[in-house]
Amino acid sequence: MDSRTVALIRTTFKAVAAEEGGPEKLARSFYAILFTDHPHVRDFFPAALDAQRDRLVKAIGYVVDRLEEPEKLLPFLAQLGRDHRKYGVTAEHYAAVGTSLHAALRAYTGTEMWTDEVERAWDEGIGLIAETMIKAADQEDTPPYWTGTVIENRAVLQNLSVVRLRLDQPMQYAAGQYISVQIPARPRMWRYLSPAIPANANREVEFHIRAVAGGWVSPAMIGHTAIGDQWLLGSPLGGLGVPRNTRRKMLMVGCGTGIAPLRAQLMAMTQRRSNPKVRLFVGGHHPCDLYDLRTLSELAVANKWLTVTPVVENEENPWWYVDSGDERAGELPGLEPRRIGQIGRVVAAEGPWKDHDVQIVGSPSMVQTTKFRLMAAGTPTKNIRHDPLF
């Protein structure tokens, strides 16, 4: 795709995004056109589309920002294509989505901006997306989805549980990747979760799940999951991971359940003969949010290449929490003294990190804030990695 085509696509989309309510209006228009012209496609989507509309716009934005980086974009689209097999989609469905998005963009931007050249640019861009996803799906020989049976649902905090499943067949995901998950209580509402352990011969997967206030799915995952329930899991996604034989030092920053994909990578690294130095900062609002310190302590004691630093914004736990003692960093061996403050600020101040490869995992706001603070402190943008924020 040439630079002129990329510029036309990017300019059009940014014009939509810049208008107040523009992204939401575009998404609403897209789904209205899609379901009117192709009513059979409606069955692939949940009844409530709020989260779906937001995810659509963020996904388009993510793709548009990487049109000039095929080495990053094409693997991402291929992963999406493999994952979308769980819906049972075909080339016909991709065509329906493409024509509906094309129509929504044309209707929203108007005749003044939507020239013949812009139309050709979007045709090429949408064609590239569909072709890459379809090709990857057609070439994949793994299952379109896996079934996992719940074998443990352990409450860690009032709003956080560790759920362990046993898969019906092996899944070869890389430590650090994430997976789309559907539970029986919320059909067609897929949510992304990161395994907290590497792929293993026992076919077990462990997820750390925090209930989002007002959320549709995460509270049900915690409150309505029973032993024996069967969840569906899509194909692995994401590009986090520490390459074998690398000598570059690592900086890992995780908040809340964001520790899960980082912990999985650390566990996988313990099986290697040699590893680079790794600095892990694990953060939360309160000490009790550092719910996995005991595991991290054991990893740090057993592996001298790993240094773990706990960070909290408040020194005291909330009034409703009964302290079990596990979160007292000073009582666990192998951990650095606990820091107090916002994690992005704390990590940036402990640098410089110019010679480190960086991974950041957490909420979108935490990831962006930490990334900007590191960049302001001199960390090259190309050294910082995080998964798409949608």
Side-chain angles (χ1 to χ4, degrees), residues 312-332:
V312 293
E313 296 184 19
N314 304 282
E315 295 191 62
E316 300 297 326
N317 280 317
W319 63 269
W320 48 261
Y321 179 74
V322 178
D323 190 353
S324 65
D326 286 355
E327 294 76 26
R328 297 174 185 172
E331 297 181 8
L332 294 174

Side-chain angles (χ1 to χ4, degrees), residues 205-221:
V205 179
E206 178 180 300
F207 295 120
H208 298 179
I209 306 167
R210 186 184 294 275
V212 177
W216 282 88
V217 179
S218 57
M221 286 179 164

